[in-house]
Amino acid sequence: KNEVEQSPQNLTAQEGEFITINCSYSVGISALHWLQQHPGGGIVSLFMLSSGKKKHGRLIATINIQEKHSSLHITASHPRDSAVYICAVIPYNTDKLIFGTGTRLQVFP
Amino acid sequence: DVKVTQSSRYLVKRTGEKVFLECVQDMDHENMFWYRQDPGLGLRLIYFSYDVKMKEKGDIPEGYSVSREKKERFSLILESASTNQTSMYLCASSLEYRSPGEQYFGPGTRLTVT
């Protein structure tokens, strides 16, 4: 079993829909990242959070440390949001990220 | 803006060739990382470096070596390329010493070994 699990693996949506991507992890962590990877490879960091909630534009990330769970929400989704979204955690007492396998999102007009 | 560049976007090499992948970052970051990304496996850490001339093995270092002679440059070397090293290779850097922190990624190199 992977230490970082994402769900769903694939997600399709119509433009305008509210989208939720989930990340569960099994280790104690100091922080969690949400990353976005567009076709072609480049990865961009969206959020790094260790508690509560962060918002940037139409993106909202939440984390519940006790439940070892984080969610990434996209409001009013748009075709340009189509990408792979990756969750990664920094376990305590380590200097490496552990990555989930990603959620592939396709938003259709 | 932090910029991380990689020497090639696409590369095709033959089995047994020595392959160099180069990564340069322009923000004076302390830490640099090399990952490979394969479908269904996510990103896996090959090697990382927290300082010039320092390197540490990641989760899958076999078949690879690295070099960090200057702070801004981190090279990944495949001594004798094999077909199972066909993959997307991503370089990243982060600011805070010995912390993976917020990582900035390069565009990736898609390597095919035939």
Side-chain angles (χ1 to χ4, degrees), chain A residues 57-79:
Chain A
R58 295 179 295 106
L59 300 177
I60 303 166
T62 64
I63 189 168
N64 185 319
I65 293 290
Q66 287 74 29
E67 293 187 4
K68 294 187 165 63
H69 181 268
S70 176
S71 293
L72 177 68
H73 306 285
I74 305 175
T75 60
S77 60
H78 190 276

Side-chain angles (χ1 to χ4, degrees), chain A residues 2-3 6-7 13-14 24 34 38-40 45 66 68 75 82 89 103:
Chain A
N2 291 336
E3 290 169 295
Q6 288 185 237
S7 63
Q14 289 294 126
S24 295
W34 280 103
H38 279 287
S45 178
Q66 287 74 29
K68 294 187 165 63
T75 60
S82 298
V89 302
T103 294

